[in-house]
Amino acid sequence: MFAFRDVREGDVEGQPALDIAFTDRHAPAGELDLSLAGPVRGDATADDVLALLAREFTPEAPDALPIGMRQVHGAQVCVVDETDGAEIVADGVVTRRTGVTLLVRVADCVPVLLAATDHSVIAAVHAGRPGLVAGVVPAAIATMRDLGAGDLQAWVGPHVCGSCYEVPEQMREEVSAEVPEAFAVTSWGTPAVDIGAGVRAQLRAAGVSVDEIRRCTLEDDDLWSHRREGSSAGRLGGLIRISP
């Protein structure tokens, strides 16, 4: 179910904890696919899968479904609270509300979870190649700081690595002109883009400390990969909430 799961306790008395997770493709029975389009696996709908995810991620609040996004490879960031029920058209969601789970879906793109170090503000961000160039991660950071966040911590989840993400030479030049750290070469010597390196550079340029789950979606069969599986690929998830 979870490729990574962690609970970060507050540093001072009274400070809330953070729940953080990245999923893999394995469910208690069958496969876990967080795609928006349903039915997804077997007879399960997308809502069924969200309900399963809620029971596993927040068993004390199984009816509190995660708030996700209809991701469009842009730089739109939305602030949400517990009253939001529908999927939001954006590539980043931010909240200050406790008990609200934020969800980002990926199948090669970079899932980024962010939190203020005092756990007052959190975010979930979808950073693909277009979003990297558009600056969705800096936009999410700016939104969090507008809401009062000071120092920030980021968790970068599984994504396709620079040694595997082959692209045309012109595309590599266009991306690296905006984000030089994304320039890469595949392990077989062809042009590539390292989205993860670009995201990490943007985070560090904004003064954000970074933890990374170093697993490549294309290389790891336990993870979904659109590059490997095409239109049949499911979606992984990154989840974060401020514990009530």
Side-chain angles (χ1 to χ4, degrees):
M1 171 68 77
F2 296 115
F4 170 85
R5 177 75 191 261
D6 195 13
V7 177
R8 297 293 174 101
E9 300 292 344
D11 292 332
V12 299
E13 185 176 355
Q15 188 178 88
L18 291 178
D19 293 311
I20 307 155
F22 294 100
T23 68
D24 57 25
R25 66 189 296 165
H26 303 298
E31 291 185 314
L32 180 67
D33 174 5
L34 296 174
S35 301
L36 277 175
V40 281
R41 291 288 181 260
D43 295 326
T45 67
D47 286 344
D48 292 335
V49 177
L50 282 181
L52 168 64
L53 190 61
R55 291 194 298 271
E56 295 290 326
F57 184 63
T58 55
E60 80 287 357
D63 296 327
L65 298 184
I67 294 176
M69 299 170 278
R70 189 169 296 277
Q71 297 157 186
V72 292
H73 290 278
Q76 179 68 31
V77 176
C78 291
V79 179
V80 301
D81 61 31
E82 77 276 17
T83 64
D84 294 284
E87 292 285 338
I88 298 159
V89 179
D91 287 274
V93 280
V94 177
T95 192
R96 292 182 294 186
R97 305 305 294 257
T98 62
V100 174
T101 299
L102 303 181
L103 168 66
V104 52
R105 298 175 172 93
V106 298
D108 283 327
C109 296
V110 183
V112 184
L113 305 176
L114 290 148
T117 54
D118 65 0
H119 301 177
S120 60
V121 188
I122 57 173
V125 184
H126 165 254
R129 175 180 45 79
L132 172 68
V133 173
V136 64
V137 169
I141 292 168
T143 299
M144 295 177 74
R145 288 181 168 152
D146 286 346
L147 294 176
D151 293 336
L152 297 174
Q153 169 74 48
W155 294 264
V156 176
H159 56 276
V160 65
C161 73
S163 295
C164 291
Y165 187 25
E166 184 178 33
V167 298
E169 175 65 35
Q170 182 177 350
M171 182 178 291
R172 179 174 69 173
E173 295 302 319
E174 291 170 352
V175 174
S176 60
E178 298 295 329
V179 187
E181 295 84 356
F183 185 97
V185 179
T186 64
S187 58
W188 52 96
T190 57
V193 167
D194 191 333
I195 313 172
V199 166
R200 292 191 300 272
Q202 290 178 333
L203 289 166
R204 289 174 176 138
V208 179
S209 60
V210 182
D211 284 344
E212 184 175 12
I213 313 307
R214 291 189 173 273
R215 294 175 66 177
C216 173
T217 49
L218 184 60
E219 295 175 328
D220 191 335
D221 289 341
D222 288 329
L223 305 172
W224 293 112
S225 170
H226 189 270
R227 282 242 156 176
R228 185 180 64 242
E229 298 165 275
S231 60
S232 66
R235 295 296 184 270
L236 310 169
L239 302 103
I240 187 168
R241 77 163 184 163
I242 305 167
S243 297

